[in-house]
Amino acid sequence: MGNFRHLLLLLGLFGLEVAAQNETLTIAAVTSQIDEFLKLIQNGSLATREASSLPTGCSLACSFINFALPGQVSFPDSITYEYQESRYWSYFQSTDTPTCRFAPVNPLGVSLAVLTVQVTQCEFAVKSGGHGMFSGASNIDGGLTIDLLELNEVIISADQTQTSVGSGNRWVDVYDVLEPKGLSVIGGRVADIGVGGLTLGGGMSFFSGRYGWACDNVNTYEVVFADGSIREVSYSTYPDLYFALRGGGNNFGIVTRFDLATFPQGDLWAGSQTYFYTNETAAALNDAVYWLNINAPSDPYGQVILAYAYVQSFGAWALSAEVQYGKPEAYPPILSNFTKPPGAIASTLAVTNLTALTISFNNSNPGGFRETYWTLTVKNSPTILNDIVNIFQEEINPINTVENLLPALVFQPITEDIISHFSKNGGNALGITTADGPLILINIAISWSLATDDAAVFAAAGNTIARANATAYAQGLGFPFIYQNYAALQQNVFEGYGAANLAKLRAVSEKYDPLGVWQKLQPGYFKVF
Ligand SMILES: Cc1cc2nc3c(=O)[nH]c(=O)nc-3n(C[C@H](O)[C@H](O)[C@H](O)COP(=O)(O)OP(=O)(O)OC[C@H]3O[C@@H](n4cnc5c(N)ncnc54)[C@H](O)[C@@H]3O)c2cc1C
Ligand SMILES: *[C@@H]1O[C@H](CO)[C@@H](O)[C@H](O)[C@H]1NC(C)=O
Ligand SMILES: *[C@@H]1O[C@H](CO)[C@@H](O)[C@H](O)[C@H]1NC(C)=O
Ligand SMILES: *[C@@H]1O[C@H](CO)[C@@H](O)[C@H](O)[C@H]1NC(C)=O
Ligand SMILES: *[C@@H]1O[C@H](CO)[C@@H](O)[C@H](O)[C@H]1NC(C)=O
Ligand SMILES: *[C@@H]1O[C@H](CO)[C@@H](O)[C@H](O)[C@H]1NC(C)=O
Ligand SMILES: *[C@@H]1O[C@H](CO)[C@@H](O)[C@H](O)[C@H]1NC(C)=O
Ligand SMILES: *[C@@H]1O[C@H](CO)[C@@H](O)[C@H](O)[C@H]1NC(C)=O
């Protein structure tokens, strides 16, 4: 180790600690440090993983970062690497194998990585909770994966109105700190979802009727820019970039910390009622979604997730109304249409708390399967949902024997209460205003086991979306919004935000990332270009 310190001094990498005080590394500094590093290898002072030749590309990026920040980089077959690889929700992501994984312990480490990948031209991916569903979303074959899991601070401000959350936290770890203090934030509904991806894509919570989506509740983002600088982005410091981060996904920098608006929150009343599918129950619950959208302004504490699924063990379709009320009050009138239909085969309605609720949702969404999510948004209507259920059943029934198939179709109201918060602080990038009226968010979520079934499953999901969209537009009920957090890679998320917002997002990208680092060197997920 003494030797190591000597080498660090030799290379000027000791400057990393010094630079930390000023929070800046530059591309020039990192270029010259990598040159020195290569000289050390060339003249035999330093052994590398590759015996014969000088490392290039991601091998160079990995060995250089490993040298500069020992203990934070892991390579295939190590326990650390395998552990981090096991923390993806979807099979498609856990089977991507990066050259190495880097788990920075502070923003400066992220900055070093962002500059190193540019010097070495190494493609990279960034992971928070790892719930992105498709290959390459937050992992990368043969590249560098920056795993934010060590950025896990949760710090409540003295006045309890803001919580600073490291971007590698899972939501349950945030709620664990806040809940005993009677506080909460707008975040995910499944325990293990990451703060990073959910918040950058929008972020639907149990409390969105009162406060909007997660992206509408970030006071300040701490962001590593493409030039390696680390800056505090808020509505007052960088209004254009702040807008772009509110729905822009991974296109605008690596967020290392989110300062989240924090509010008092106690127990909830929540749970589900599950039924065997009948046309009558379906029609009644679909109608209830329509009426909730009409009546929501009378009580923004009520929320619902209405899900249809083919259940192989029943050999039948089932539907489940998941209701949540943000107070510990049973059977609130706003949710009465969802609890009314007779004949439930299971009911879990009870007073509960956020941590327990997100763990129960986590248990009903186990990881490790092949997964695909697709999405669509339609205007509020009492009948369009029946049409979409029929389309989904027509597409799924012919493949319902696919091994371990679990196909779900999920409806969630986007009420005018929710939308009213989208315009806070200059507005978010999603392209929805109260003039659009209440909307219904549609999500198709399918899991299965075998690669030989991939084509059939993707076709059923894609066909459902195309047919549902055509049906909606034919009835004047179409709407362009594509929710990034539920979208398939085949879907055009940013076009769905509308031409004006897409143009703004592209202009912000060109201004803050003129070389296209987030667009080109980070190929995974949805891109504004
Ligand atoms: C079981 C399940 C339940 C879900 N429930 C909800 C829900 O209740 N509400 C909701 O809105 N959505 C929900 N989603 C969707 C979820 O929000 C998205 O999958 C989201 O992308 C997950 O975020 P993550 O950090 O876990 O994923 P990751 O795969 O880690 O990240 C997703 C994308 O965001 C990028 N990213 C992550 N962190 C950062 C960062 N700090 N800086 C820059 N880029 C970053 C990654 O590079 C990647 O491209 C759910 C998904 C699943 C699978
Ligand atoms: C920090 O930056 C200032 C101004 O750019 C400079 O004068 C100072 O020497 C730097 N401090 C360190 C520790 O690098
Ligand atoms: C190897 O290169 C480094 C960096 O340029 C230099 O400091 C060192 O003296 C060299 N060692 C040998 C054995 O040549
Ligand atoms: C939340 O509920 C669970 C399960 O009932 C309980 O164990 C836990 O203590 C509760 N947490 C808080 C903060 O009330
Ligand atoms: C349910 O509705 C579908 C679509 O309208 C129809 O084809 C089917 O026959 C109905 N089922 C019953 C049992 O009425
Ligand atoms: C419940 O549904 C009926 C129509 O069946 C509607 O008149 C009523 O407003 C709905 N109530 C709520 C709270 O949505
Ligand atoms: C969430 O579920 C996964 C299995 O899919 C499990 O590994 C993890 O521990 C669960 N998280 C919590 C907080 O229960
Ligand atoms: C829905 O249809 C409209 C009108 O034809 C089209 O512009 C849009 O791209 C379609 N959206 C999806 C998700 O297929």
Side-chain angles (χ1 to χ4, degrees):
M1 273 334 254
N3 217 0
F4 226 105
R5 180 135 188 108
H6 170 73
L7 289 174
L8 287 176
L9 282 166
L10 188 72
L11 284 175
L13 285 176
F14 188 60
L16 267 185
E17 287 168 33
V18 177
Q21 295 165 19
N22 273 359
E23 302 225 317
T24 179
L25 282 172
T26 63
I27 196 92
V30 171
T31 302
S32 76
Q33 287 170 3
I34 289 177
D35 283 346
E36 290 301 311
F37 176 69
L38 283 170
K39 279 186 206 152
L40 280 180
I41 296 171
Q42 213 159 14
N43 72 16
S45 303
L46 206 59
T48 59
R49 293 170 64 83
E50 297 79 11
S52 53
S53 58
L54 279 180
T56 58
C58 291
S59 300
L60 175 55
C62 287
S63 53
F64 173 69
I65 298 171
N66 186 41
F67 176 71
L69 298 171
Q72 298 174 37
V73 174
S74 63
F75 293 91
D77 299 326
S78 68
I79 288 169
T80 303
Y81 182 99
E82 297 305 333
Y83 169 73
Q84 289 178 15
E85 287 278 303
S86 77
R87 289 176 59 99
Y88 287 95
W89 180 72
S90 158
Y91 172 88
F92 289 127
Q93 286 237 80
S94 60
T95 47
D96 290 337
T97 51
T99 300
C100 72
R101 304 185 60 87
F102 171 45
V105 299
N106 57 31
L108 196 67
V110 176
S111 169
L112 180 69
V114 165
L115 295 171
T116 301
V117 293
Q118 293 176 65
V119 175
T120 58
Q121 287 296 297
C122 167
E123 291 189 345
F124 68 99
V126 177
K127 176 198 169 246
S128 172
H131 271 57
M133 303 92 186
F134 45 82
S135 172
S138 54
N139 206 1
I140 181 166
D141 257 332
L144 168 72
T145 297
I146 303 172
D147 194 325
L148 303 172
L149 81 170
E150 299 292 342
L151 302 183
N152 58 3
E153 67 177 11
V154 180
I155 297 169
I156 305 170
S157 68
D159 67 359
Q160 304 203 328
T161 62
Q162 177 173 287
T163 308
S164 295
V165 173
S167 58
N169 274 292
R170 305 171 310 160
W171 285 105
V172 69
D173 297 323
V174 177
Y175 302 151
D176 268 342
V177 174
L178 290 171
E179 190 154 61
K181 297 187 154 39
L183 300 171
S184 203
V185 293
I186 295 297
R189 298 171 296 188
V190 174
D192 273 7
I193 302 173
V195 167
L198 180 130
T199 307
L200 290 168
M204 299 176 69
S205 115
F206 293 125
F207 311 125
S208 285
R210 281 142 67 206
Y211 303 104
W213 284 2
C215 68
D216 306 314
N217 288 276
V218 184
N219 296 331
T220 303
Y221 300 81
E222 182 184 69
V223 183
V224 177
F225 282 34
D227 67 2
S229 60
I230 303 165
R231 304 188 200 210
E232 306 265 324
V233 176
S234 67
Y235 183 46
S236 57
T237 58
Y238 298 91
D240 51 359
L241 186 54
Y242 181 77
F243 161 85
L245 287 166
R246 291 173 64 182
N250 71 11
N251 287 277
F252 298 98
I254 301 179
V255 179
T256 45
R257 192 193 77 232
F258 296 87
D259 292 342
L260 302 177
T262 301
F263 51 88
Q265 177 65 46
D267 286 353
L268 303 81
W269 181 76
S272 63
Q273 295 210 141
T274 303
Y275 305 82
F276 281 118
Y277 178 89
T278 67
N279 284 352
E280 292 66 33
T281 309
L285 289 170
N286 289 339
D287 206 44
V289 170
Y290 168 79
W291 282 106
L292 179 66
N293 253 340
I294 304 280
N295 291 315
S298 68
D299 187 350
Y301 284 78
Q303 250 188 235
V304 68
I305 303 168
L306 178 59
Y308 293 80
Y310 181 79
V311 184
Q312 285 186 328
S313 59
F314 296 172
W317 286 84
L319 66 165
S320 184
E322 294 268 3
V323 295
Q324 305 94 31
Y325 194 64
K327 300 177 194 171
E329 291 169 16
Y331 297 96
I334 188 71
L335 296 173
S336 60
N337 284 336
F338 294 96
T339 52
K340 203 163 48 185
I345 52 174
S347 177
T348 62
L349 299 168
V351 171
T352 181
N353 61 44
L354 186 58
T355 312
L357 193 56
T358 62
I359 288 174
S360 93
F361 272 64
N362 188 68
N363 292 339
S364 53
N365 288 279
F369 293 97
R370 308 176 88 79
E371 298 282 353
T372 191
Y373 272 46
W374 295 68
T375 188
L376 188 69
T377 309
V378 297
K379 292 189 177 160
N380 199 35
S381 145
T383 56
I384 186 72
L385 301 184
N386 298 333
D387 296 340
I388 294 174
V389 171
N390 290 336
I391 291 168
F392 188 58
Q393 294 185 333
E394 282 173 19
E395 293 292 336
I396 292 296
N397 284 338
I399 62 162
N400 67 15
T401 55
V402 157
E403 189 156 317
N404 286 324
L405 186 77
L406 184 53
L409 168 68
V410 183
F411 300 141
Q412 299 178 75
I414 307 179
T415 63
E416 286 178 28
D417 296 315
I418 294 174
I419 300 170
S420 71
H421 298 282
F422 286 8
S423 59
K424 264 191 262 182
N425 293 332
N428 68 30
L430 305 177
I432 300 174
T433 69
T434 45
D436 298 317
L439 300 166
I440 300 167
L441 184 62
I442 293 158
N443 170 219
I444 289 172
I446 309 180
S447 61
W448 71 105
S449 285
L450 300 178
T452 45
D453 293 320
D454 287 359
V457 173
F458 288 130
N463 288 344
T464 303
I465 291 296
R467 291 177 58 194
N469 184 57
T471 302
Y473 272 92
Q475 297 178 29
L477 298 169
F479 194 79
F481 178 64
I482 303 286
Y483 185 36
Q484 178 164 216
N485 286 356
Y486 290 166
L489 191 55
Q490 294 87 331
Q491 299 194 273
N492 205 327
V493 166
F494 295 111
E495 252 173 37
Y497 289 10
N501 279 4
L502 179 54
K504 275 170 82 175
L505 291 175
R506 287 179 170 162
V508 173
S509 168
E510 282 173 333
K511 176 174 170 186
Y512 292 98
D513 182 22
L515 301 175
V517 172
W518 314 121
Q519 304 296 308
K520 293 175 197 150
L521 276 178
Q522 181 193 223
Y525 220 56
F526 303 97
K527 299 291 149 187
V528 295
F529 280 106

